[in-house]
Amino acid sequence: MKVVIVGGVAGGASAAARIRRLDENAQIVMFDRSGFVSYANCGLPYYVGGVITNPRELTLQTPESFWSRFRVDVRVRHEVTAIDTEKKTVTACELETGRIYEENYDKLILSPGAKPVCPEAFDLTGDRIFTLRTVEDTHSLHSFVRTKKPASAIIAGGGYIGLEIAENLLQLGVSVSIIQKPKHLLAPLDYDMACLVHSLFMKKGARLLLEKSVSSIKQDADTVRVKTDDGLELTADMVVLAIGVTPDTKLAKDAGLALGAKNSILVNERMETSVPDIYAVGDAVTVNHFVTGLSTLLPLAGPANKQGRIAADNVCGGSSVYHGSQGSSVIKLFDLTVATTGINETAAKAANIDYERIVLSPLSHASYYPGGTAMTMKVLYERQTQKLLGAQIIGSDGVDKRIDVLATAIRAQLKATELCELDLAYAPPYSSAKDPVNMAGFMIENLVTGKVAQFHHDEIDRLPRDGSVTLLDTRTPGEFSKGHADGFFNIPLDDLRERLSELPKDKPVYVMCQSGLRSYVACRILSQNGYRCYNFSGGYRFYSLVRQDQTKK
C-alpha cells in the first residue's frame, strides 16, 4: 500500500507516524510546501518574543528524523498542485528547481491546514507587513524585530495569534495597537469575560481599537499606514495581519471534492471525503461540534492530531471514528491564563438553546495557604436538562486544571449538577476541599432546586429605581464606599439579621456582594424570613470590570 500525505504539520505528521506503527510495509510519502515538517505552530509567537530562543525547538521532526525512525519519505519545499482522482495521482512541484512530476497513491490524506485571511484589496508587498503561519514567517518576523528594532506595531486581529504576538512585542518594549472588528478580543469568550483581557492589555500599554476593521494597508518607505472602516488613520513601524484564517482547500475544490462550511473539506466521521480513498484532516475540514451537533470549523492542534490518527487507522483497515470537536483551548497572556471549552452565550443563542449561566470567583487553592489567586469562572448549562454546554476561565494558577476537568465532564455528558459529585484531588497548595469545579456544581444545584434565584450584570440597568424593589449591597462599609452599583444601599451581611426590619417584605430584594458568596448567604437568610430574593451572579468585582470597560468605549 502506498499512502501520499499532503501537509506535514499536526494532522499530516500524526497520520504518517500512526500509519507506520500500524503497517511496517506501507510506502509513505509526505509533501509540504514549506521548508519544515512537524513544527510547533502554537510556539511561533514565542520565538518572535525571545521566550523560545532556539529555533530548532520549534521543529518536532525533520525529514531526516522522520526517515530514520519511521521510514517516511518527507519532501519539503514540494507543493502538490493537482489531484487526479481517476488515475489516483497527485502532481507535485519541486519549488527549488521548478521540476513538476506525478506521484501515484493507493490512499491519499489531505492536511493542507488553514491560511491567514489576506483581503485582495490590501497591499501586502512591503517588508514591514507580516502574517504568521509557517516557520519561515516566524524567522522573517523575528529577524525584523531584532534588526530593525521597531518602536510601534499594529496588530490587525485580536484572536489567539494576534494577542500572542501583541504580548511578545509589548514585552520587548514595542508600542502596540490592536484592531479588532468584533466588540471584544478572543471570540471564544463572551464579552463580559473578555473585559478581563481588555483590562490586562490596557494595563500593559496596548491601545485597543474595538469594533473597527482594517480597510487598507500600505507601506511607505519605513512606515506602514493603516486605515480603518470608520476613517481612522494609523501609522506604525510594522503591521502583523492576524484577522483570521480560512481553510486552504483550493486543491480539494479543483479535484472535485465536496466542500462544507466556509469552503472546508466535507468529511464523514471516518475522516473520509466524498471521493473514495481520499481522507482529509485538520484545520481544513468540516467537523461536528460535540455540544451542538452543528457543522463548524475549529482550527486547533488537538483535534488535528486526533483526526490524523483516526484517518491513519482507517487507511490501514481499521474502523475509528471522530465524534466531534468542542473547542477546548488555553492561552497564556502575560501573567494570566485564559481557557475555554464548549460553547459561549453567542453560540448558545445561535443554536436556540435555552441556557443559564453562572459566574464565580474562587481561589486557586486553600485561602490559608500562601499564594492563592482568584480566578473568574463562567459555566453555561441547558436550563431544562442541565446539560453542560461550555465554560470560560480566566486567572493565574490552576486555570488549565479546571478547564480540563470541565472539558472532560462535557465529553462524558455529565449533568451540570453532577459537578458536585466529582472526587477531585485536594491538598492546600493545589486546591480547596471544595474545588472550584465542585463550587460551580453547588451553585448550579442551588439554582436548579430553587434554593436561590439570580440576576446578571446585563440586567442591572433594567432594574427599577422607583422604590418598587430593594437593591441591597451586603459588603462591608469600606468596600461599599470604594464603589457600588447605582441605587444599591448597604447593609453588611453580618448585620443583616438584626436589620431585617429595614427591608419591606412586599418588595423583591436584589442582593450584591464582592464575589457572590456573601450575597448568596444573605439570600438564604432573606428567603427563610419570607422575602423574595435574587442573588447577583459574579459579584461587584466582576460587574465593575465589565462596567469600566463599557465606559471606556
Side-chain angles (χ1 to χ4, degrees), residues 430-459:
Y430 302 106
S431 184
S432 301
K434 297 176 181 177
D435 187 86
V437 175
N438 296 137
M439 291 299 301
F442 297 149
M443 291 175 64
I444 293 168
E445 183 185 59
N446 285 335
L447 290 168
V448 170
T449 57
K451 292 182 178 67
V452 70
Q454 64 177 355
F455 65 110
H456 300 281
H457 69 84
D458 50 4
E459 299 171 322

Side-chain angles (χ1 to χ4, degrees), residues 15-16 67 108 114 132 165 290 372 397 434-435 459 478 499 530:
W67 176 259
L108 176 64
L132 192 62
I165 286 292
F290 184 80
D397 296 336
K434 297 176 181 177
D435 187 86
E459 299 171 322
R499 297 175 62 180

Side-chain angles (χ1 to χ4, degrees), residues 5-18 21 38-39 41-42 109-114 267 270-271 279-287 297-313 322-328 411:
I5 301 173
V6 180
V9 193
S14 177
R18 177 69 170 173
R21 291 194 295 270
S38 189
Y39 55 85
N41 297 64
C42 301
I109 299 176
L110 302 179
S111 181
V267 294
R270 290 169 49 85
M271 308 314 298
Y279 298 75
V281 301
D283 296 353
V285 306
T286 305
V287 297
L297 284 173
L298 286 171
L300 295 166
N305 275 283
K306 296 178 184 71
Q307 293 161 14
R309 177 186 175 90
I310 288 167
D313 285 353
Y322 187 67
H323 294 292
S325 302
Q326 66 190 63
S328 299
R411 182 64 57 157

Side-chain angles (χ1 to χ4, degrees), residues 38-52:
S38 189
Y39 55 85
N41 297 64
C42 301
L44 300 182
Y46 299 104
Y47 177 59
V48 174
V51 178
I52 297 172

Side-chain angles (χ1 to χ4, degrees), residues 56-69:
R56 293 181 180 178
E57 293 178 354
L58 295 172
T59 304
L60 307 178
Q61 294 282 353
T62 65
E64 294 76 19
S65 67
F66 245 117
W67 176 259
S68 176
R69 177 156 297 179

Side-chain angles (χ1 to χ4, degrees), residues 523-531:
C523 276
R524 293 304 303 148
I525 294 171
L526 292 167
S527 296
Q528 294 177 79
N529 280 278
Y531 292 85

Side-chain angles (χ1 to χ4, degrees), residues 299-546:
L300 295 166
N305 275 283
K306 296 178 184 71
Q307 293 161 14
R309 177 186 175 90
I310 288 167
D313 285 353
N314 295 323
V315 161
C316 294
S319 56
S320 294
V321 298
Y322 187 67
H323 294 292
S325 302
Q326 66 190 63
S328 299
S329 66
V330 64
I331 181 173
K332 172 195 166 296
L333 298 173
F334 301 101
D335 56 349
L336 281 189
T337 300
V338 180
T340 66
T341 189
I343 61 173
N344 59 18
E345 288 194 65
T346 301
K349 291 173 183 174
N352 294 315
I353 298 173
D354 180 21
Y355 69 93
E356 184 56 282
R357 51 187 164 158
I358 61 162
V359 178
L360 61 157
S361 299
L363 289 178
S364 56
H365 60 244
S367 59
Y368 60 83
Y369 188 89
T373 56
M375 63 180 75
T376 301
M377 298 176 61
K378 182 175 185 178
V379 180
L380 275 65
Y381 64 95
E382 190 170 31
R383 201 183 305 269
Q384 184 174 2
T385 65
Q386 289 91 59
K387 173 185 176 181
L388 276 170
L389 300 174
Q392 303 158 49
I393 311 178
I394 300 177
S396 298
D397 296 336
V399 169
D400 54 339
K401 169 183 174 179
R402 274 68 187 213
I403 205 69
D404 283 344
V405 172
L406 288 163
T408 303
I410 290 173
R411 182 64 57 157
Q413 300 185 33
L414 297 184
K415 288 185 176 182
T417 48
E418 292 180 297
L419 297 177
C420 303
E421 303 174 24
L422 294 179
D423 192 353
L424 303 174
Y426 160 62
Y430 302 106
S431 184
S432 301
K434 297 176 181 177
D435 187 86
V437 175
N438 296 137
M439 291 299 301
F442 297 149
M443 291 175 64
I444 293 168
E445 183 185 59
N446 285 335
L447 290 168
V448 170
T449 57
K451 292 182 178 67
V452 70
Q454 64 177 355
F455 65 110
H456 300 281
H457 69 84
D458 50 4
E459 299 171 322
I460 283 186
D461 288 345
R462 299 197 298 270
L463 293 176
R465 265 68 173 182
D466 59 0
S468 60
V469 301
T470 300
L471 305 179
L472 176 64
D473 190 313
T474 58
R475 295 176 296 159
T476 66
E479 290 172 313
F480 185 79
S481 66
K482 292 177 182 178
H484 54 269
D486 180 51
F488 281 71
F489 82 101
N490 181 225
I491 298 179
L493 172 63
D494 293 343
D495 299 338
L496 182 59
R497 290 181 178 89
E498 289 71 36
R499 297 175 62 180
L500 288 175
S501 61
E502 299 177 32
L503 306 177
K505 280 194 174 181
D506 60 342
K507 298 177 182 179
V509 185
Y510 291 82
V511 191
M512 180 184 289
C513 71
Q514 190 71 3
S515 67
L517 176 57
R518 282 174 286 177
S519 53
Y520 163 65
V521 175
C523 276
R524 293 304 303 148
I525 294 171
L526 292 167
S527 296
Q528 294 177 79
N529 280 278
Y531 292 85
R532 183 155 52 99
C533 188
Y534 300 88
N535 183 34
F536 181 67
S537 174
Y540 181 78
R541 171 181 167 272
F542 186 66
Y543 168 77
S544 62
L545 277 169
V546 177

